[in-house]
Amino acid sequence: MKGAYYEGNKRFSVGESKIVPPGPGEVRMKVAYAGVCGTDLHIYLGHMDQRVKVPQVVGHEASCEIVDVGEGVTDFKVGDHVVLRPTDACGKCPTCERGDINVCPSINFIGITSPGAFQGSWTVPAHLLHKLPASINMVHAALIEPLAVACHDVRFGEVTDKDYCVVIGAGPIGVLEALVCREKGARVVMSEVNPARVKLVAEMGFEVVNPAETDLVKYVMDATGGDGADVVFEVTGSQAGAEMMTKLPRTHGRIVIVAIFAEPKMIDLRTILWREYTVVGARNYVKQDYEEAIRLVASGNLPLDKIVSDVRPIDRVQETFEQIASGSANFMKVLFSCSD
Amino acid sequence: MKGAYYEGNKRFSVGESKIVPPGPGEVRMKVAYAGVCGTDLHIYLGHMDQRVKVPQVVGHEASCEIVDVGEGVTDFKVGDHVVLRPTDACGKCPTCERGDINVCPSINFIGITSPGAFQGSWTVPAHLLHKLPASINMVHAALIEPLAVACHDVRFGEVTDKDYCVVIGAGPIGVLEALVCREKGARVVMSEVNPARVKLVAEMGFEVVNPAETDLVKYVMDATGGDGADVVFEVTGSQAGAEMMTKLPRTHGRIVIVAIFAEPKMIDLRTILWREYTVVGARNYVKQDYEEAIRLVASGNLPLDKIVSDVRPIDRVQETFEQIASGSANFMKVLFSCSD
């Protein structure tokens, strides 16, 4: 079986996936499908070269089947379908002692600082696995990791069925957040400037506004009787998004920061004060977010096929990252078929 | 009795305080002492000329005694010592219907959009009054309004006796916040660059750091085992404060925005995400904040005399605002004696 190795300098090589026998507390898995995350793109572009030792197999959004079980592993057996929660916290620092293990400053993010999922054989700690019900197909299961991000974000947004939510940015995480909000019974509006994404989310049944064409603030105020949105998710990482996010909420509304802002942005703190907003950062996930994501995928309610733009062999890794980086293909989510 | 009238263009005139008989639901009060707020300074500087009709008596931090009671007022009687909560919400908008009356978009702030406290006779709605216990002296009572702001801010900070708090900016509101945090049993560090204020808060028993001389981030990290502060209050409105506020909290820490930032500032949203901070705006107060402030003043635990820099007659209003605007006198809080 093959593996895709990041070599630095925007290059991947395709080599053999090393068969690593599972140590105590570990399992070895066959990777079925693995999705490309924005983080993988950052790695490809060299933004994370300080953290990633080359050559390194990256990727962390994967559906897997257990093929070997290490000493002391009792909760899982060969043949189980599983997904990995790739954030391995230190367990010892003040953050972990508070239970906030998703933001442990010493976190080991599997697929960044240790070998990842773009390969046929993957050996990982069993304590980070979640078992899948048989009803979930493995293509959909590869979306559980980003869906767990969305579940975490929506939980931090404290979204209820009474809420009017705006998601700024209809990339994979934004779309998954919108789906989770909709599952909670909330009304959701997406903001997106890319026409292909506008079209896709409209096909998924979402209200969608292109803020380059339509006055989004007026749209939201008109829809809420001049009150404003209950919850706003900022998923663009742009100055335009950072400005928009403080214009949309009602008094005591919530803003959830989801995007990774590479640089500080100009923020209207006066309005945060004036309307007593709550702004929260939401990053990664914990166990309960994974459990909710698995429940949602198992429900069959989510139009996940719409999100999967293509499934392709690992051999096409270099071409795929070039296409994503250039934006030429308008992908939402690309999966690699890792066991071919 | 006299009144201080804002005339526009950095000018006050001193004239007669008009005796306005109380209408239904109103009381007329003799104002004992009234403090100068940062908002009054903004008015003096012309920043709020769109809201303030000249000539206007301003001021809203006052201790008063009721001298006349209008029709239908049953909760108060002549001779009662009271303080006014000067924020009169519309009561009808979605914000008010949610109970968030302190941020009602149509709020009437008495002393800005209607006659204020820098006068001997003041007629106001009785439903905004809080009765004072006899034990509270009227000089201290004039500090209840800003102390209620501090109680509101600390409540939004969710401060407990386990917390390490940093207050950035040791003006009157910052110092009152620090006092409220200390009353809650929290450890408090103040950050201040003005040497006179550094000296004053040190005399009040606070740890105080001048970030121009000492590395405040290192100071806080050293004091918390590298973890960070539980709660940070930003009370400067400066770019330096806006940058500092995201460097100090622990993972899942809280930042309370208290200062009015005239312009957008560069904010490190990446760290807000990375450590999953909660940033909240806190403005004005509600009834429970006033009740807490009255309890705290009645307790006698707060060194309020340290905060009162001077008590002077209304005749000195012009000189006083010139001194405050120039910073020449290093005032913390100046009160006018309004019934002389």
Side-chain angles (χ1 to χ4, degrees), chain B:
Chain B
M1 286 187 291
K2 293 172 182 170
Y5 291 82
Y6 171 65
E7 301 280 357
N9 200 26
K10 298 188 187 171
R11 295 302 306 171
F12 276 94
S13 65
V14 177
E16 275 302 299
S17 175
K18 289 175 195 142
I19 307 293
V20 180
E26 292 185 333
V27 302
R28 189 167 77 79
M29 314 184 292
K30 186 175 78 169
V31 180
Y33 301 98
V36 178
C37 173
T39 300
D40 302 316
L41 183 66
H42 280 294
I43 292 171
Y44 166 80
L45 293 172
H47 299 163
M48 297 170 74
D49 280 354
Q50 288 188 317
R51 288 176 73 191
V52 182
K53 284 183 192 160
V54 295
Q56 176 76 287
V57 175
V58 299
H60 57 271
E61 305 179 355
S63 54
C64 308
E65 179 182 336
I66 294 178
V67 293
D68 197 0
V69 168
E71 190 187 323
V73 174
T74 55
D75 292 344
F76 299 95
K77 63 180 190 305
V78 171
D80 282 350
H81 287 191
V82 293
V83 288
L84 178 78
R85 183 158 37 90
T87 48
D88 200 4
C90 81
K92 294 167 195 160
C93 67
T95 297
C96 286
E97 284 177 352
R98 279 191 292 271
D100 304 330
I101 56 172
N102 58 313
V103 287
C104 166
S106 307
I107 209 161
N108 171 29
F109 200 108
I110 298 171
I112 300 174
T113 47
S114 60
F118 293 166
Q119 56 181 337
S121 173
W122 196 21
T123 301
V124 300
H127 75 96
L128 299 174
L129 295 177
H130 291 260
K131 206 175 292 190
L132 299 178
S135 62
I136 294 183
N137 86 49
M138 293 298 255
V139 167
H140 292 176
L143 298 174
I144 287 171
E145 195 270 359
L147 184 59
V149 170
C151 289
H152 183 74
D153 299 342
V154 172
R155 185 160 63 83
F156 272 45
E158 298 180 3
V159 173
T160 74
D161 62 355
K162 305 284 190 298
D163 285 345
Y164 186 103
C165 302
V166 182
V167 179
I168 306 175
I173 295 294
V175 171
L176 290 168
E177 286 170 347
L179 287 170
V180 177
C181 288
R182 188 160 74 179
E183 284 299 303
K184 292 202 177 298
R187 180 167 169 191
V188 188
V189 175
M190 301 209 72
S191 168
E192 176 57 52
V193 292
N194 176 326
R197 290 186 164 179
V198 167
K199 183 166 175 288
L200 180 69
V201 296
E203 286 169 7
M204 296 171 80
F206 287 110
E207 281 179 70
V208 53
V209 171
N210 182 340
E213 296 171 354
T214 301
D215 182 339
L216 179 58
V217 178
K218 183 174 185 304
Y219 183 95
V220 171
M221 293 303 160
D222 285 352
T224 58
D227 194 22
D230 297 289
V231 189
V232 173
F233 297 87
E234 204 313 297
V235 206
T236 69
S238 67
Q239 180 62 47
E243 281 172 28
M244 184 59 79
M245 72 182 188
T246 57
K247 293 179 179 172
L248 300 175
R250 62 166 170 84
T251 50
H252 282 204
R254 292 178 75 80
I255 298 170
V256 185
I257 305 290
V258 176
I260 297 172
F261 284 83
E263 304 290 335
K265 298 294 178 198
M266 293 295 280
I267 303 296
D268 177 5
L269 296 171
R270 186 177 180 284
T271 299
I272 292 174
L273 170 82
W274 212 249
R275 299 190 191 168
E276 289 194 331
Y277 292 155
T278 297
V279 182
V280 291
R283 176 182 163 220
N284 297 336
Y285 27 62
V286 294
K287 191 176 179 181
Q288 76 179 94
D289 302 312
Y290 254 68
E291 289 170 348
E292 185 180 3
I294 292 169
R295 264 198 311 276
L296 283 171
V297 173
S299 76
N301 286 345
L302 306 186
L304 298 177
D305 290 331
K306 286 266 183 203
I307 293 172
V308 178
S309 309
D310 199 14
V311 181
R312 25 176 92 179
I314 279 181
D315 298 297
R316 294 178 64 189
V317 61
Q318 182 68 32
E319 168 201 354
T320 300
F321 274 86
E322 287 172 6
Q323 285 180 314
I324 294 173
S326 72
S328 61
N330 270 319
F331 289 138
M332 183 60 73
K333 178 66 76 181
V334 177
L335 305 184
F336 293 116
S337 175
C338 296
S339 297
D340 292 348

Side-chain angles (χ1 to χ4, degrees), chain A residues 9-321:
Chain A
N9 200 25
K10 299 188 187 172
R11 296 303 305 172
F12 276 94
S13 65
V14 177
E16 275 302 297
S17 174
K18 289 175 196 143
I19 306 293
V20 180
E26 293 184 333
V27 302
R28 189 168 76 80
M29 314 185 291
K30 185 174 80 169
V31 181
Y33 301 97
V36 178
C37 173
T39 300
D40 301 316
L41 183 65
H42 280 294
I43 292 171
Y44 165 79
L45 293 171
H47 300 164
M48 299 170 72
D49 280 354
Q50 287 188 317
R51 287 176 74 189
V52 182
K53 285 185 191 158
V54 296
Q56 175 76 287
V57 175
V58 298
H60 57 271
E61 305 179 355
S63 53
C64 307
E65 180 181 335
I66 294 178
V67 293
D68 197 359
V69 168
E71 190 188 324
V73 175
T74 55
D75 293 345
F76 299 94
K77 62 182 191 304
V78 171
D80 282 349
H81 287 190
V82 293
V83 289
L84 177 78
R85 182 158 38 89
T87 48
D88 200 3
C90 81
K92 294 166 195 160
C93 68
T95 296
C96 286
E97 283 177 352
R98 279 191 293 270
D100 305 330
I101 55 171
N102 57 312
V103 289
C104 166
S106 307
I107 209 161
N108 170 30
F109 200 108
I110 297 171
I112 299 175
T113 47
S114 59
F118 293 166
Q119 56 181 337
S121 174
W122 196 20
T123 300
V124 300
H127 76 97
L128 298 174
L129 295 177
H130 290 260
K131 206 175 291 189
L132 299 178
S135 62
I136 293 183
N137 86 49
M138 294 296 256
V139 167
H140 292 175
L143 298 174
I144 286 171
E145 195 272 357
L147 184 60
V149 170
C151 289
H152 184 75
D153 300 341
V154 172
R155 185 160 64 83
F156 272 44
E158 298 181 2
V159 173
T160 74
D161 61 356
K162 305 285 188 300
D163 286 344
Y164 186 103
C165 301
V166 182
V167 179
I168 306 175
I173 294 295
V175 172
L176 290 168
E177 287 170 346
L179 288 170
V180 176
C181 287
R182 187 160 76 181
E183 284 299 304
K184 293 204 176 298
R187 181 169 169 190
V188 189
V189 174
M190 301 209 72
S191 169
E192 176 58 52
V193 292
N194 177 327
R197 290 185 164 180
V198 168
K199 183 166 175 290
L200 179 69
V201 296
E203 286 169 7
M204 295 170 82
F206 286 111
E207 281 179 71
V208 53
V209 171
N210 182 339
E213 295 172 353
T214 302
D215 182 339
L216 178 59
V217 178
K218 183 174 184 307
Y219 183 94
V220 170
M221 292 304 159
D222 286 351
T224 57
D227 194 23
D230 298 288
V231 190
V232 173
F233 297 88
E234 206 311 298
V235 206
T236 69
S238 67
Q239 180 62 48
E243 281 172 29
M244 183 59 79
M245 73 183 187
T246 58
K247 293 180 179 171
L248 300 176
R250 63 166 170 84
T251 50
H252 281 205
R254 292 179 76 81
I255 298 169
V256 185
I257 305 290
V258 176
I260 298 173
F261 284 83
E263 303 290 336
K265 299 294 179 198
M266 294 294 280
I267 302 295
D268 178 5
L269 295 171
R270 186 176 181 282
T271 299
I272 292 174
L273 171 81
W274 213 249
R275 299 190 190 167
E276 290 194 332
Y277 292 156
T278 297
V279 182
V280 291
R283 178 182 162 220
N284 296 337
Y285 26 63
V286 295
K287 190 176 180 182
Q288 74 178 96
D289 303 311
Y290 254 68
E291 289 170 347
E292 185 180 2
I294 292 169
R295 264 199 311 276
L296 283 171
V297 173
S299 76
N301 286 344
L302 305 187
L304 298 177
D305 289 331
K306 286 266 182 201
I307 292 172
V308 177
S309 309
D310 199 14
V311 181
R312 23 176 92 178
I314 279 180
D315 297 298
R316 294 178 63 190
V317 61
Q318 182 67 32
E319 168 202 354
T320 300
F321 274 85

